[in-house]
Amino acid sequence: MSDLIQLEKRGHIAILTIDNPPANTWTAASLQALTKTIEELNEDKHIFALVVTGQGEKFFSAGADLKSFADGDKANANYMGQLFGQAFAALTAFRGVSIAAVNGYAMGGGLECAMACDIRIAEEHAQMALPEASVGLLPCAGGTQNLPWLVGEGWAKRMILCGERVDADKALKIGLVEEVVPAGKGLEKALELAEGACKQSPSAVARCKNLIMSARDGRSHSDGWRMERELFVELFYTEDQREGVNAFLEKRKPQWKNR
């Protein structure tokens, strides 16, 4: 793993901290490390949830370091674009629940990272933007796709085409984040939600997440309902299904095996 991201495990929760001061920018090394880390977490049956945050009190992540694009190198642009895409696609596809604790500025690739998570908690001083067009670039790691899905086309155009920055309260109003908390409380709230996720069957959660995300693909309602029924039956091939039902009937806490 790169020293630019840190990983801690607390029970069934993994905490990933973007650690590249002063602005927690993404680099080729940290993007590759993120992809590899998510792959390893997917294989770790003891991990049910993931919290992503930034080191320090000011930045979640300012995105890419623009110095790497100053010379106009097309090969480097392609290389970095692929790394960003692979890393945040892996984060989106994490089999458990992912929660971004946005503890400060989330700009460009920083906001794209947060949007690749399932849930976003913002501290009250957080600022969010996709300012790429102001420097002759565009969001290339899901920004133009995820933002309109979350906030609608109008606000996506305001932020991407007009360069509008939103604070935490505005982000909450438009649906970019799910909750705003006082400064310094983002990680605490994210962990609280993660603990709630860990009480759910990880086998069921993975399938529920798959169904929710599939709605973005433009499938018909009938296809979605068919998938629900198929995955419902699929759960009966897991140990977690039997454990969950029997734990309820026996009035005890379930012991999830993630299998």
Side-chain angles (χ1 to χ4, degrees):
M1 181 184 297
S2 168
D3 291 336
L4 304 178
I5 63 172
Q6 305 296 327
L7 185 68
E8 176 188 356
K9 294 181 180 179
R10 299 185 190 177
H12 295 300
I13 302 170
I15 304 171
L16 190 152
T17 304
I18 310 164
D19 188 7
N20 185 22
N24 294 330
T25 49
W26 288 103
T27 68
S30 61
L31 289 167
Q32 290 171 316
L34 176 61
T35 300
K36 186 174 186 295
T37 299
I38 298 299
E39 291 172 350
E40 292 173 350
L41 291 175
N42 282 334
E43 295 299 318
D44 187 342
K45 296 298 184 181
H46 296 290
I47 294 298
F48 300 169
L50 169 65
V51 172
V52 181
T53 193
Q55 180 63 42
E57 301 175 352
K58 186 175 181 180
F59 284 93
F60 175 76
S61 171
D65 185 346
L66 290 180
K67 293 178 182 177
S68 62
F69 301 125
D71 60 4
D73 188 316
K74 299 178 183 64
N76 180 61
N78 179 64
Y79 177 63
M80 290 299 295
Q82 293 295 327
L83 291 181
F84 266 106
Q86 291 165 7
F88 296 164
L91 178 55
T92 298
F94 171 63
R95 58 164 172 73
V97 179
S98 57
I99 304 166
V102 183
N103 58 313
Y105 286 94
M107 302 294 178
L111 181 55
E112 288 176 306
C113 176
M115 290 193 293
C117 294
D118 298 315
I119 300 166
R120 284 151 295 282
I121 304 299
E123 296 187 9
E124 59 189 0
H125 63 287
Q127 299 277 327
M128 285 152 269
L130 290 178
E132 284 87 347
S134 68
V135 293
L137 301 172
L138 61 78
C140 72
T144 64
Q145 306 304 299
N146 289 335
L147 188 60
W149 180 263
L150 293 170
V151 306
E153 185 177 304
W155 268 103
K157 286 179 175 176
R158 286 179 66 158
M159 292 181 68
I160 297 173
L161 306 184
C162 301
E164 188 162 351
R165 179 187 298 186
V166 298
D167 60 18
D169 287 339
K170 179 65 72 175
L172 179 63
K173 290 177 182 177
I174 65 177
L176 182 52
V177 303
E178 280 66 54
E179 187 170 349
V180 175
V181 297
K185 297 295 184 180
L187 180 59
E188 179 181 325
K189 183 60 184 183
L191 288 171
E192 179 185 322
L193 285 171
E195 289 285 359
C198 291
K199 295 177 182 178
Q200 312 280 79
S201 158
S203 301
V205 163
R207 289 165 176 81
C208 287
K209 178 172 174 176
N210 184 16
L211 288 164
I212 294 169
M213 297 300 289
S214 73
R216 298 188 179 191
D217 297 332
R219 289 188 174 90
S220 67
H221 285 301
S222 59
D223 283 341
W225 293 334
R226 174 185 53 76
M227 288 176 61
E228 281 186 337
R229 293 189 296 270
E230 291 174 353
L231 293 183
F232 175 77
V233 174
E234 187 176 289
L235 283 171
F236 284 76
Y237 291 87
T238 69
E239 293 182 31
D240 283 344
Q241 179 276 320
R242 292 186 293 278
E243 171 63 13
V245 172
N246 284 286
F248 176 81
L249 294 174
E250 296 166 10
K251 296 181 173 58
R252 60 176 175 81
K253 291 183 179 180
Q255 301 297 313
W256 304 122
K257 300 293 180 61
N258 200 10
R259 59 180 185 233

